[in-house]
Each structure stands twice: as structure tokens, then as C-alpha cells.
Amino acid sequence: MEHSAPIWLTYGFTYLAAAVLAVPLARALGLGAIIGYLGAGIAMGPWGLGLVRNVEDILHFAEFGVVLMLFVIGLELQPKRLWELRRPIFGWGMAQMAVCTGILFLAAWAFGFSWRVSLIAGMGLALSSTAICLQVMSERNLMRTPSGQAAFSILLFQDVAAIPILALIPILGAYKAAAAHGESHVWLTIFKTVGTIGAVIIGGRLLLQPVLRWIARSKTPEIFTATSLLLVVGIAMLMVQVGLSMALGAFLAGVLLADSEYRSELETNIEPFKGLLLGLFFMAVGMSIDFGVILQSPLVMAAMVLGFLSLKALMIFGLAKVMNIPWRERPVFTLMLAQGGEFAFVVFQTAAQYKVFQHSVSSMLVAAVALSMLLGPLLLVLLDKLLLRRFAAIKDAQDPQDKAREISEPQEAPIIVAGFGRYGQIVARVLLAQGIRPTILDHSVEMLEAAQTYGYRVFYGDATRVDLLRIAGAAQARVLVIAVDAPDQSVKIASQARKHFPDLEIVARARDLDHWFRLRDLDIAHIQREVFESSLASAQSVLELVGESPADAKRMAERFREHNLDLAERMYPHYKDQNQNQLIAVAKQGRQQLVEQMAKERAALLQDEQPDSQNHRPAGRDEA
């Protein structure tokens, strides 16, 4: 009896096998995972081996990967963080999108395309590859350089700008259909779009937090994962029902939950599904490229790729000059952002779906973006060879990074110190003086070199990674000291340690009161505010210098310490309130109570001193 595998099993095996072969090969060639997925899709599709024929069905299913990606991007865009970075994001980011979209729109319009096609093409081609740019910046140690900070701000604005672009496409599609049939449904589409977005925002604010809190109380991890997926699928279905983009709804849901206490858990649950489905989406895009259209006009395709890369590079290079980015960093900054981005695939596929332009135009644009992403890494390699002397300083700065090796051998020390800056050094030195040798982790190459100069053994590693914490011995250690500078990194380390190593005691450094509150959310008992004790010691010295006795100065400082710690505990329940009035009221009340208490103590001390002064008055004064 002949047996045949189900079609879903055959397709599943084909996709996974293609990804396993193509992606590592593309990474080995320095081309990145996205190019690997695209290449695998091309090889499997109708213009390759022909293993897959129903490309449209696969593309619709795989689009859910983009929906999950937008949800995760929304989770990462905390309103507070956006507000802190508002100037570089909405300044340089908006400038890049406006300038590049404008020049590309004019170029397409000049070649006879309609204004709708020119506008969507200009917007899609103005986007850059977040995945490739972050990879390049990480490999070249550019994240903390002026070009790295500027590129990150621009990419962040592009992530935000992609959402209005997706919302605009159905409106342009309705406009085109109305113009063709002599009808006008544009205003109805606009009203429907605005109304749906408003309903999602209001409903999300009112319902999402209570529902997630209720699900979390069940203490069933798989149900929380199911709820995460249900949330994204439900909003995606709502958007489809009203004729809008699924990705738009998912992004809004992510932004609404960006400040939620469940953000990290949601992101962790969604990440594996997002990665697999996003890879499948890029493979489906590769399958859907119509090489027949490209082969009919190879010169047009070459001109399109070189033309949009040149125009975009020219605009970005000029912008880099205006932004005062160092000249040595400008070529890499320009090439990183000049290539097309993965989200352009979503924009062009959506535009074809809503009939803004024909499928042949979509195929040409998708192929142009894919080729630009393929050329980008190759041009960077060529740039390094042509401008090797100019990049010597950057290369020298990167050499220590190449020499640094992550911690790889399992450690068994009872104490782990994460961060070897000013704070971590003092903790480690006290322990070493008592004969206790901790395992010390730090991800700064410069700090490692300085530590080795003075004879300390510090391991290179990012303590936010669970695998490195496990190798450092977190499963057996008794205490983890979190001494890193950045509050976000500190909270992430604490969260990972709480989740994966529940028996590990945590001693954490808090930069300020807000950081202290966030660590308290993780039930960490041993938290030290980094300048609190030293500030009290300085205040005690000042009191002594202005005439207070050492005992009184110490008592005053200690009383202030007790009061401040108590006040922090009273403020803690209110720090997440949308309205900060209660928090401010508690702080003001505490300050007034301290002033009154200190005044009472001073009056009591003066009263106690008066009898002593009367008993010891000079005889001459009595006689007078």
C-alpha cells in the first residue's frame, strides 16, 4: 500500500529545509538572513525549482509574520522613550523620509507614472532595512557613534512612519476605484479608517490591561502565550473586516501595551512565532517575484535599482553633512540607509492588493528593493577596500572587540557581579579582600582591558543573555550583583534572573528613584540608590562644618535617611498612575512632615539645653 505525506507536511519540510540551507550560507557570505530567505524563496518558486506553485496562498499566510513583527515593534516604542528621543527621531527621521520620498516621487512622476503610484513607490523606496542596518552597526561597533545614533533615530522614525503609509494605501485604492467608476467613497474610507483606529485605541486602553491581568492570575504560561496570539489575531481580523491593514492594528496594539507590566512577557511569547513566520514571508516574497517581467526589461530594472540607490544616497549624504556626522562615518551611514528595506515588501504587496498599482509594477519594485539589499553588503565591502586608510581609526577601535571572547567555560563562584564600572569595582574589591572570588561580567572591551591592566579577571559577556548567565553559574550561585549603569539593562537582567533563576538572591544598584521603583516591581529587596548614601555622608560633613556636633549631625542624617526610605515606600504604589497628582501630593506631604519633625526635634533640644545653661550661668551675671 502506497503512503503519501500530507501536503502541509511536505510544504513544511520544504520551507524548513530551504531556510536551513540558504540562511547560514547567506550569513557566511556576509549577506544577512533576509537575503538568504529571499534566495530560498526564489529557488523554490515558479522561476526556480518549481517546488511551490500556490504562491499567493502562502504569501497571505506568511503575512502574519509581518503582523507579529509590527506588534513587537509597537511593544518596543514606549511613549516615554519616544518623547525622550523626539528631537532626533521626529527631526532627522522626518527629514530623511520627506527628502527621499520627495525626490523619488518626482523621479517616478517625471517618467510618466501616476501620482498615486509615484507617491507609494517613493514612500516604500525611502524606507531602509532595519535588520541590515542594525547588523552592520553592531559588527562595526557604530551604535554609540554619531552616525550610529543618527541612523538608529531615522530607523525608529521609519518604523513609525510605516503605519500611516499602510493606512494611506486603502484610501488611495478607494480613490482610484471611485475615479474609475465615477463614484466617491474616499471620505467613507477615511472615516472608517479613523473610526477603527480610534476604537482600537480606546478599547485597548480600557480592556487590554484587565484581561491580561486576569489571564496572568491563572499562572498558566501556555494560556498567556495563547492570549498573546489571540490578541494579535483578533485585531488583525477586525482590520481585515473593515478593509484595513492587519499590520496597522497589530502595531497599535503593541503601542498600547508598551507601558504595560506584561510587555516583556508578551514579547518573549511572540518572538519565536514572529521569527519563523517573518522568514516565511520573505521566502514567499522571493517566490512571488515575477522574473518574466524583469527579463522583459532588464535594462529598466538595472536603471531602476541604480537610479533609486543613487538618488537616495545623494540625499542621505547631504543630510549627513547637515547633521554634522564625522566625515569618516558618512560613507557607511549613507550606504546603510540608501538600500531598500524589508518593510517596502509589505508596502508594495499591500498596494498591489488594493489595486493602487498593477502586479507587474509591484514585481518590479519588489525586485528592485531585493537587489538593493543584495548590493548593500557588497558595496560596504568594496567601500572598506577603497577607503581602507580612512577607516583605519575605526578598524583599530574594533580590533579589541574582535579579540574579546565571550565567557564560554562554566563558572562555579557563589557570587556573580554584572558590570565592572565604578560601582561594581568597589563591590568586587571588598569581596576579593575577604578571599571571595566572584565571577565578573562586563560587555565593554575597554573595561576588560583596564581590568586586565590592574590584574583583575573579568569575563566578556552581556548579562542580559540567559545563556551567558547560565554559563556564569547563575543556577548554582547564591547572589547576583547588578552593577550596570543603564536602568533598562539593569531591569532586564533582574527580570531574566527572576524568571530563570528564582533561587538566586539579587543585590541591585538603582540610578534614581524611578529605577528603584522598577526594580521593586520585580520583588528585589536589596536595592541601593547609587548616590544616596554618599550624598548623606556629604550632608553630615556640611552640618559638622557649620557648627553641629558630630553626634547631632549623624543623628540628623540618619533621621533623613529613615524618612526618605519611608517616603519612597509610600510613593511606590502611585508611580505608574497616569495622573501623577497623587504621587506629587505624597512627595509634598512627606517633605512637609520632615520639616515639621525636624523643627520639633530642634525645639526639644533647645528646651533641654536651657536648664543646663541656667545652672551654669557665671556668678557675675547673677549678681548683676
Side-chain angles (χ1 to χ4, degrees), residues 141 393-405 420-421 425 440-461:
N141 199 24
I394 296 177
K395 190 175 188 303
D396 289 340
Q398 289 179 329
D399 285 343
Q401 179 85 24
D402 298 333
K403 294 175 184 177
R405 294 289 180 264
F420 198 61
Q425 286 177 24
I440 305 172
L441 293 174
D442 201 290
H443 66 282
S444 168
V445 176
E446 292 79 8
M447 185 58 67
L448 260 66
E449 291 180 338
Q452 290 172 1
T453 303
Y454 289 95
Y456 294 105
R457 188 184 184 194
V458 180
F459 293 100
Y460 178 75

mmCIF file of all heavy atoms in Angstrom, residues 141 393-405 420-421 425 440-461:
data_model
loop_
_atom_site.group_PDB
_atom_site.id
_atom_site.type_symbol
_atom_site.label_atom_id
_atom_site.label_comp_id
_atom_site.label_asym_id
_atom_site.label_seq_id
_atom_site.Cartn_x
_atom_site.Cartn_y
_atom_site.Cartn_z
ATOM 1 N N ASN A 141 30.726 48.223 15.397
ATOM 2 C CA ASN A 141 30.798 48.931 16.684
ATOM 3 C C ASN A 141 30.442 50.413 16.523
ATOM 4 O O ASN A 141 31.104 51.308 17.047
ATOM 5 C CB ASN A 141 32.201 48.790 17.284
ATOM 6 C CG ASN A 141 32.211 49.073 18.776
ATOM 7 O OD1 ASN A 141 31.195 48.950 19.457
ATOM 8 N ND2 ASN A 141 33.358 49.460 19.294
ATOM 9 N N ALA A 393 41.216 54.246 11.681
ATOM 10 C CA ALA A 393 40.943 54.568 13.090
ATOM 11 C C ALA A 393 39.776 53.751 13.625
ATOM 12 O O ALA A 393 39.819 53.225 14.731
ATOM 13 C CB ALA A 393 40.636 56.055 13.227
ATOM 14 N N ILE A 394 38.713 53.634 12.793
ATOM 15 C CA ILE A 394 37.558 52.841 13.225
ATOM 16 C C ILE A 394 37.936 51.377 13.350
ATOM 17 O O ILE A 394 37.554 50.681 14.268
ATOM 18 C CB ILE A 394 36.392 53.024 12.238
ATOM 19 C CG1 ILE A 394 35.944 54.470 12.252
ATOM 20 C CG2 ILE A 394 35.242 52.090 12.572
ATOM 21 C CD1 ILE A 394 34.843 54.784 11.256
ATOM 22 N N LYS A 395 38.732 50.905 12.402
ATOM 23 C CA LYS A 395 39.125 49.499 12.425
ATOM 24 C C LYS A 395 39.973 49.190 13.648
ATOM 25 O O LYS A 395 39.823 48.158 14.300
ATOM 26 C CB LYS A 395 39.895 49.160 11.148
ATOM 27 C CG LYS A 395 40.150 47.677 10.950
ATOM 28 C CD LYS A 395 40.798 47.424 9.604
ATOM 29 C CE LYS A 395 40.878 45.933 9.302
ATOM 30 N NZ LYS A 395 41.582 45.169 10.288
ATOM 31 N N ASP A 396 40.909 50.109 13.976
ATOM 32 C CA ASP A 396 41.730 49.892 15.159
ATOM 33 C C ASP A 396 40.878 49.826 16.411
ATOM 34 O O ASP A 396 41.137 49.063 17.336
ATOM 35 C CB ASP A 396 42.761 51.027 15.291
ATOM 36 C CG ASP A 396 43.825 50.928 14.213
ATOM 37 O OD1 ASP A 396 43.994 49.827 13.636
ATOM 38 O OD2 ASP A 396 44.487 51.955 13.963
ATOM 39 N N ALA A 397 39.841 50.669 16.440
ATOM 40 C CA ALA A 397 38.957 50.662 17.608
ATOM 41 C C ALA A 397 38.169 49.372 17.701
ATOM 42 O O ALA A 397 37.757 48.960 18.771
ATOM 43 C CB ALA A 397 37.997 51.849 17.543
ATOM 44 N N GLN A 398 37.983 48.709 16.551
ATOM 45 C CA GLN A 398 37.207 47.475 16.566
ATOM 46 C C GLN A 398 38.065 46.254 16.873
ATOM 47 O O GLN A 398 37.559 45.233 17.289
ATOM 48 C CB GLN A 398 36.536 47.261 15.207
ATOM 49 C CG GLN A 398 35.393 48.240 14.959
ATOM 50 C CD GLN A 398 34.767 48.012 13.612
ATOM 51 O OE1 GLN A 398 35.451 47.589 12.669
ATOM 52 N NE2 GLN A 398 33.488 48.272 13.496
ATOM 53 N N ASP A 399 39.380 46.352 16.682
ATOM 54 C CA ASP A 399 40.225 45.174 16.885
ATOM 55 C C ASP A 399 40.103 44.571 18.278
ATOM 56 O O ASP A 399 40.019 43.362 18.421
ATOM 57 C CB ASP A 399 41.681 45.526 16.572
ATOM 58 C CG ASP A 399 41.931 45.634 15.073
ATOM 59 O OD1 ASP A 399 41.098 45.127 14.303
ATOM 60 O OD2 ASP A 399 42.952 46.228 14.703
ATOM 61 N N PRO A 400 40.106 45.372 19.367
ATOM 62 C CA PRO A 400 39.927 44.783 20.683
ATOM 63 C C PRO A 400 38.626 44.019 20.804
ATOM 64 O O PRO A 400 38.554 43.009 21.481
ATOM 65 C CB PRO A 400 39.953 45.999 21.621
ATOM 66 C CG PRO A 400 40.666 47.059 20.873
ATOM 67 C CD PRO A 400 40.351 46.829 19.457
ATOM 68 N N GLN A 401 37.576 44.498 20.119
ATOM 69 C CA GLN A 401 36.303 43.784 20.167
ATOM 70 C C GLN A 401 36.449 42.396 19.561
ATOM 71 O O GLN A 401 35.877 41.432 20.036
ATOM 72 C CB GLN A 401 35.252 44.586 19.390
ATOM 73 C CG GLN A 401 33.885 43.952 19.331
ATOM 74 C CD GLN A 401 33.082 44.295 20.536
ATOM 75 O OE1 GLN A 401 33.311 45.294 21.186
ATOM 76 N NE2 GLN A 401 32.123 43.467 20.875
ATOM 77 N N ASP A 402 37.221 42.304 18.469
ATOM 78 C CA ASP A 402 37.423 41.006 17.847
ATOM 79 C C ASP A 402 38.213 40.077 18.752
ATOM 80 O O ASP A 402 38.024 38.857 18.750
ATOM 81 C CB ASP A 402 38.164 41.174 16.514
ATOM 82 C CG ASP A 402 37.347 42.013 15.536
ATOM 83 O OD1 ASP A 402 36.102 42.011 15.646
ATOM 84 O OD2 ASP A 402 37.963 42.673 14.686
ATOM 85 N N LYS A 403 39.144 40.649 19.535
ATOM 86 C CA LYS A 403 39.968 39.804 20.394
ATOM 87 C C LYS A 403 39.216 39.336 21.625
ATOM 88 O O LYS A 403 39.557 38.334 22.234
ATOM 89 C CB LYS A 403 41.221 40.581 20.828
ATOM 90 C CG LYS A 403 42.157 40.907 19.667
ATOM 91 C CD LYS A 403 43.306 41.773 20.143
ATOM 92 C CE LYS A 403 44.206 42.181 18.971
ATOM 93 N NZ LYS A 403 45.299 43.076 19.401
ATOM 94 N N ALA A 404 38.181 40.137 22.038
ATOM 95 C CA ALA A 404 37.429 39.762 23.235
ATOM 96 C C ALA A 404 36.628 38.507 22.965
ATOM 97 O O ALA A 404 36.005 38.368 21.931
ATOM 98 C CB ALA A 404 36.503 40.906 23.632
ATOM 99 N N ARG A 405 36.652 37.600 23.878
ATOM 100 C CA ARG A 405 35.908 36.357 23.742
ATOM 101 C C ARG A 405 34.869 36.273 24.844
ATOM 102 O O ARG A 405 35.159 36.557 25.999
ATOM 103 C CB ARG A 405 36.855 35.138 23.822
ATOM 104 C CG ARG A 405 37.825 35.060 22.655
ATOM 105 C CD ARG A 405 37.098 34.689 21.364
ATOM 106 N NE ARG A 405 38.005 34.612 20.249
ATOM 107 C CZ ARG A 405 38.228 35.598 19.399
ATOM 108 N NH1 ARG A 405 37.641 36.755 19.564
ATOM 109 N NH2 ARG A 405 39.054 35.456 18.380
ATOM 110 N N PHE A 420 31.397 46.045 35.672
ATOM 111 C CA PHE A 420 32.642 46.294 36.404
ATOM 112 C C PHE A 420 33.049 47.759 36.275
ATOM 113 O O PHE A 420 34.202 48.087 36.068
ATOM 114 C CB PHE A 420 33.749 45.370 35.884
ATOM 115 C CG PHE A 420 34.911 45.235 36.832
ATOM 116 C CD1 PHE A 420 34.735 44.721 38.098
ATOM 117 C CD2 PHE A 420 36.186 45.632 36.453
ATOM 118 C CE1 PHE A 420 35.800 44.603 38.978
ATOM 119 C CE2 PHE A 420 37.274 45.506 37.313
ATOM 120 C CZ PHE A 420 37.072 44.995 38.577
ATOM 121 N N GLY A 421 32.036 48.640 36.377
ATOM 122 C CA GLY A 421 32.326 50.074 36.394
ATOM 123 C C GLY A 421 32.679 50.536 37.797
ATOM 124 O O GLY A 421 33.157 49.759 38.623
ATOM 125 N N GLN A 425 33.273 47.694 40.687
ATOM 126 C CA GLN A 425 34.664 47.529 41.125
ATOM 127 C C GLN A 425 34.772 47.536 42.644
ATOM 128 O O GLN A 425 35.497 46.724 43.229
ATOM 129 C CB GLN A 425 35.529 48.645 40.528
ATOM 130 C CG GLN A 425 35.815 48.490 39.044
ATOM 131 C CD GLN A 425 36.595 49.655 38.498
ATOM 132 O OE1 GLN A 425 37.287 50.347 39.238
ATOM 133 N NE2 GLN A 425 36.488 49.887 37.189
ATOM 134 N N ILE A 440 32.903 37.882 37.372
ATOM 135 C CA ILE A 440 32.601 39.253 36.963
ATOM 136 C C ILE A 440 32.338 39.286 35.458
ATOM 137 O O ILE A 440 33.134 38.778 34.665
ATOM 138 C CB ILE A 440 33.761 40.205 37.308
ATOM 139 C CG1 ILE A 440 34.108 40.098 38.802
ATOM 140 C CG2 ILE A 440 33.402 41.637 36.951
ATOM 141 C CD1 ILE A 440 35.355 40.854 39.191
ATOM 142 N N LEU A 441 31.202 39.886 35.072
ATOM 143 C CA LEU A 441 30.833 40.011 33.665
ATOM 144 C C LEU A 441 30.774 41.485 33.279
ATOM 145 O O LEU A 441 30.259 42.313 34.048
ATOM 146 C CB LEU A 441 29.455 39.392 33.400
ATOM 147 C CG LEU A 441 29.299 37.875 33.546
ATOM 148 C CD1 LEU A 441 27.838 37.488 33.378
ATOM 149 C CD2 LEU A 441 30.151 37.149 32.524
ATOM 150 N N ASP A 442 31.275 41.809 32.101
ATOM 151 C CA ASP A 442 31.145 43.165 31.568
ATOM 152 C C ASP A 442 31.205 43.079 30.046
ATOM 153 O O ASP A 442 31.961 42.250 29.500
ATOM 154 C CB ASP A 442 32.254 44.086 32.088
ATOM 155 C CG ASP A 442 31.866 45.556 31.969
ATOM 156 O OD1 ASP A 442 31.796 46.056 30.832
ATOM 157 O OD2 ASP A 442 31.623 46.185 33.005
ATOM 158 N N HIS A 443 30.403 43.895 29.355
ATOM 159 C CA HIS A 443 30.375 43.832 27.885
ATOM 160 C C HIS A 443 31.146 44.975 27.232
ATOM 161 O O HIS A 443 31.023 45.210 26.033
ATOM 162 C CB HIS A 443 28.929 43.838 27.381
ATOM 163 C CG HIS A 443 28.191 45.112 27.649
ATOM 164 N ND1 HIS A 443 27.679 45.433 28.874
ATOM 165 C CD2 HIS A 443 27.887 46.153 26.837
ATOM 166 C CE1 HIS A 443 27.095 46.598 28.820
ATOM 167 N NE2 HIS A 443 27.206 47.072 27.603
ATOM 168 N N SER A 444 31.956 45.694 28.014
ATOM 169 C CA SER A 444 32.786 46.769 27.467
ATOM 170 C C SER A 444 34.213 46.261 27.285
ATOM 171 O O SER A 444 34.860 45.845 28.251
ATOM 172 C CB SER A 444 32.767 47.981 28.406
ATOM 173 O OG SER A 444 33.762 48.904 28.019
ATOM 174 N N VAL A 445 34.686 46.302 26.047
ATOM 175 C CA VAL A 445 36.053 45.850 25.755
ATOM 176 C C VAL A 445 37.068 46.743 26.457
ATOM 177 O O VAL A 445 38.075 46.274 26.995
ATOM 178 C CB VAL A 445 36.302 45.847 24.232
ATOM 179 C CG1 VAL A 445 37.739 45.473 23.929
ATOM 180 C CG2 VAL A 445 35.356 44.894 23.547
ATOM 181 N N GLU A 446 36.807 48.059 26.475
ATOM 182 C CA GLU A 446 37.722 48.980 27.132
ATOM 183 C C GLU A 446 37.846 48.663 28.619
ATOM 184 O O GLU A 446 38.942 48.714 29.197
ATOM 185 C CB GLU A 446 37.235 50.422 26.946
ATOM 186 C CG GLU A 446 37.318 50.937 25.515
ATOM 187 C CD GLU A 446 36.195 50.442 24.644
ATOM 188 O OE1 GLU A 446 35.245 49.818 25.190
ATOM 189 O OE2 GLU A 446 36.261 50.639 23.418
ATOM 190 N N MET A 447 36.730 48.318 29.254
ATOM 191 C CA MET A 447 36.751 47.993 30.677
ATOM 192 C C MET A 447 37.532 46.705 30.924
ATOM 193 O O MET A 447 38.258 46.572 31.919
ATOM 194 C CB MET A 447 35.315 47.860 31.205
ATOM 195 C CG MET A 447 35.229 47.649 32.710
ATOM 196 S SD MET A 447 36.024 48.998 33.632
ATOM 197 C CE MET A 447 34.917 50.348 33.236
ATOM 198 N N LEU A 448 37.395 45.741 30.001
ATOM 199 C CA LEU A 448 38.144 44.486 30.144
ATOM 200 C C LEU A 448 39.643 44.746 30.102
ATOM 201 O O LEU A 448 40.410 44.186 30.890
ATOM 202 C CB LEU A 448 37.756 43.508 29.027
ATOM 203 C CG LEU A 448 36.753 42.408 29.399
ATOM 204 C CD1 LEU A 448 35.394 43.013 29.736
ATOM 205 C CD2 LEU A 448 36.610 41.417 28.269
ATOM 206 N N GLU A 449 40.063 45.597 29.159
ATOM 207 C CA GLU A 449 41.492 45.889 29.033
ATOM 208 C C GLU A 449 42.019 46.593 30.290
ATOM 209 O O GLU A 449 43.103 46.286 30.787
ATOM 210 C CB GLU A 449 41.730 46.754 27.797
ATOM 211 C CG GLU A 449 41.482 46.017 26.489
ATOM 212 C CD GLU A 449 41.733 46.911 25.294
ATOM 213 O OE1 GLU A 449 41.683 48.143 25.458
ATOM 214 O OE2 GLU A 449 41.975 46.384 24.200
ATOM 215 N N ALA A 450 41.231 47.557 30.817
ATOM 216 C CA ALA A 450 41.645 48.258 32.027
ATOM 217 C C ALA A 450 41.719 47.309 33.217
ATOM 218 O O ALA A 450 42.653 47.375 34.039
ATOM 219 C CB ALA A 450 40.667 49.396 32.333
ATOM 220 N N ALA A 451 40.753 46.392 33.319
ATOM 221 C CA ALA A 451 40.741 45.429 34.422
ATOM 222 C C ALA A 451 41.956 44.511 34.358
ATOM 223 O O ALA A 451 42.583 44.196 35.375
ATOM 224 C CB ALA A 451 39.449 44.609 34.394
ATOM 225 N N GLN A 452 42.306 44.067 33.141
ATOM 226 C CA GLN A 452 43.472 43.186 32.992
ATOM 227 C C GLN A 452 44.764 43.911 33.357
ATOM 228 O O GLN A 452 45.691 43.317 33.902
ATOM 229 C CB GLN A 452 43.532 42.671 31.550
ATOM 230 C CG GLN A 452 42.418 41.679 31.216
ATOM 231 C CD GLN A 452 42.369 41.331 29.744
ATOM 232 O OE1 GLN A 452 43.184 41.815 28.948
ATOM 233 N NE2 GLN A 452 41.410 40.507 29.366
ATOM 234 N N THR A 453 44.812 45.217 33.068
ATOM 235 C CA THR A 453 46.000 46.004 33.414
ATOM 236 C C THR A 453 46.261 45.979 34.914
ATOM 237 O O THR A 453 47.412 45.923 35.365
ATOM 238 C CB THR A 453 45.826 47.461 32.933
ATOM 239 O OG1 THR A 453 45.588 47.462 31.528
ATOM 240 C CG2 THR A 453 47.058 48.281 33.251
ATOM 241 N N TYR A 454 45.190 46.001 35.711
ATOM 242 C CA TYR A 454 45.322 46.012 37.170
ATOM 243 C C TYR A 454 45.200 44.614 37.778
ATOM 244 O O TYR A 454 45.106 44.476 39.003
ATOM 245 C CB TYR A 454 44.257 46.926 37.782
ATOM 246 C CG TYR A 454 44.514 48.384 37.511
ATOM 247 C CD1 TYR A 454 43.918 49.034 36.441
ATOM 248 C CD2 TYR A 454 45.379 49.104 38.328
ATOM 249 C CE1 TYR A 454 44.161 50.371 36.189
ATOM 250 C CE2 TYR A 454 45.629 50.454 38.083
ATOM 251 C CZ TYR A 454 45.021 51.079 37.009
ATOM 252 O OH TYR A 454 45.276 52.413 36.765
ATOM 253 N N GLY A 455 45.218 43.590 36.941
ATOM 254 C CA GLY A 455 45.272 42.223 37.455
ATOM 255 C C GLY A 455 43.939 41.584 37.782
ATOM 256 O O GLY A 455 43.900 40.524 38.414
ATOM 257 N N TYR A 456 42.818 42.194 37.388
ATOM 258 C CA TYR A 456 41.514 41.591 37.658
ATOM 259 C C TYR A 456 41.123 40.667 36.500
ATOM 260 O O TYR A 456 41.428 40.952 35.338
ATOM 261 C CB TYR A 456 40.433 42.663 37.817
ATOM 262 C CG TYR A 456 40.627 43.530 39.031
ATOM 263 C CD1 TYR A 456 41.092 44.841 38.906
ATOM 264 C CD2 TYR A 456 40.338 43.054 40.300
ATOM 265 C CE1 TYR A 456 41.266 45.649 40.015
ATOM 266 C CE2 TYR A 456 40.506 43.854 41.420
ATOM 267 C CZ TYR A 456 40.972 45.142 41.273
ATOM 268 O OH TYR A 456 41.145 45.928 42.361
ATOM 269 N N ARG A 457 40.408 39.598 36.832
ATOM 270 C CA ARG A 457 39.927 38.691 35.807
ATOM 271 C C ARG A 457 38.441 38.967 35.572
ATOM 272 O O ARG A 457 37.601 38.700 36.422
ATOM 273 C CB ARG A 457 40.109 37.230 36.215
ATOM 274 C CG ARG A 457 39.798 36.261 35.071
ATOM 275 C CD ARG A 457 39.878 34.822 35.513
ATOM 276 N NE ARG A 457 39.669 33.924 34.401
ATOM 277 C CZ ARG A 457 39.420 32.633 34.521
ATOM 278 N NH1 ARG A 457 39.372 32.078 35.725
ATOM 279 N NH2 ARG A 457 39.222 31.877 33.462
ATOM 280 N N VAL A 458 38.133 39.557 34.415
ATOM 281 C CA VAL A 458 36.764 39.903 34.068
ATOM 282 C C VAL A 458 36.403 39.185 32.774
ATOM 283 O O VAL A 458 37.173 39.200 31.816
ATOM 284 C CB VAL A 458 36.614 41.430 33.891
ATOM 285 C CG1 VAL A 458 35.181 41.796 33.535
ATOM 286 C CG2 VAL A 458 37.040 42.154 35.159
ATOM 287 N N PHE A 459 35.224 38.571 32.748
ATOM 288 C CA PHE A 459 34.771 37.854 31.558
ATOM 289 C C PHE A 459 33.952 38.783 30.676
ATOM 290 O O PHE A 459 33.183 39.615 31.169
ATOM 291 C CB PHE A 459 33.916 36.643 31.945
ATOM 292 C CG PHE A 459 34.677 35.564 32.647
ATOM 293 C CD1 PHE A 459 34.624 35.452 34.024
ATOM 294 C CD2 PHE A 459 35.454 34.661 31.937
ATOM 295 C CE1 PHE A 459 35.320 34.461 34.679
ATOM 296 C CE2 PHE A 459 36.158 33.666 32.581
ATOM 297 C CZ PHE A 459 36.097 33.568 33.961
ATOM 298 N N TYR A 460 34.116 38.631 29.371
ATOM 299 C CA TYR A 460 33.356 39.424 28.406
ATOM 300 C C TYR A 460 31.997 38.763 28.191
ATOM 301 O O TYR A 460 31.916 37.579 27.887
ATOM 302 C CB TYR A 460 34.099 39.520 27.079
ATOM 303 C CG TYR A 460 33.355 40.287 26.017
ATOM 304 C CD1 TYR A 460 33.273 41.675 26.073
ATOM 305 C CD2 TYR A 460 32.708 39.638 24.971
ATOM 306 C CE1 TYR A 460 32.597 42.383 25.118
ATOM 307 C CE2 TYR A 460 32.025 40.340 23.997
ATOM 308 C CZ TYR A 460 31.966 41.711 24.079
ATOM 309 O OH TYR A 460 31.287 42.417 23.135
ATOM 310 N N GLY A 461 30.927 39.525 28.351
ATOM 311 C CA GLY A 461 29.606 38.966 28.119
ATOM 312 C C GLY A 461 28.504 39.933 28.481
ATOM 313 O O GLY A 461 28.671 40.786 29.355
#
